Structures are given as C-alpha cells and as structure tokens.
Amino acid sequence: MSPSSLTTARARTVFRVVAFAEALSWLGLLIGMFFKYVTDSGELGVQIFGPIHGVIFVAYVLVCLGVFRTFGWSAKVLLIALASSIPPFATAIFEMWADRRGLVGAPATRDGDRIQREPASLAD
C-alpha cells in the first residue's frame, strides 16, 4: 500500500465515521426535541444532544473541507457535501451516494466472495 493510498484510506474512514455520526447526532437531537416539545418531558435530551450535534456538525464541515482535495472533488460535489449537513440524515445519504460514484476513494465491487476496490472516477 502506497503512502497516498494510505492517506486516502484514512480520509475515507474519517469521512465515513463523521458523516454517520452527524446523522446519528441528528437522530438524538430530534428525539430530544420530541420529548421536549411533544411530550413536554423537559429539556434534558436537547441539552445533551444539542451540543453533541453542534460539535459533530462543525467536524463534518471541517472534514469535508479537508478531504476536498484528497478525493479530488469538484466545487459542485463539495457544495453538495456541505449542503447535506443541513437536513437530518442527509450526510449519511451523501456518503452512500459519493461511495457508489467513487468520490470517496475507489468504489467497492464484488468479485465472487471478495470485495475489491476499483480506481476512483473523479468525474461528476
């Protein structure tokens, strides 16, 4: 494994983890808001998940800006990635879409029982 592929592999892992963490923090915040506003059970859920979601949101934006060059994203892809941080769960959807298009490293393909990585296509 070459140093550049190791860097790409690490960037891919960090991006995936932060994208899914952002989506999960949205879930926690929405559940907290449900209990606060619908059941009138108090603010504890929002007080816990609000700051968690805020930190992970900022981390997602910073990671997107950081991997922009590593993955060779166009400005359009970067804007879509950043915009996906606004609606609930969209970061996970963006990550899956980008993975299928090879925008976060080489897309996975099945060869018999093994999963192989193909060279990444950087086109929109």
Side-chain angles (χ1 to χ4, degrees), residues 99-109 116-123:
D99 185 46
R100 286 189 193 117
R101 297 209 43 200
L103 298 172
V104 289
T109 59
Q116 295 182 342
R117 295 275 171 197
E118 295 176 357
S121 169
L122 301 178

Side-chain angles (χ1 to χ4, degrees), residues 53-76:
H53 175 69
V55 167
I56 296 173
F57 169 84
V58 170
Y60 177 79
V61 169
L62 293 174
V63 167
C64 284
L65 294 171
V67 301
F68 168 66
R69 286 205 172 134
T70 302
F71 295 141
W73 287 351
S74 67
K76 178 181 172 183

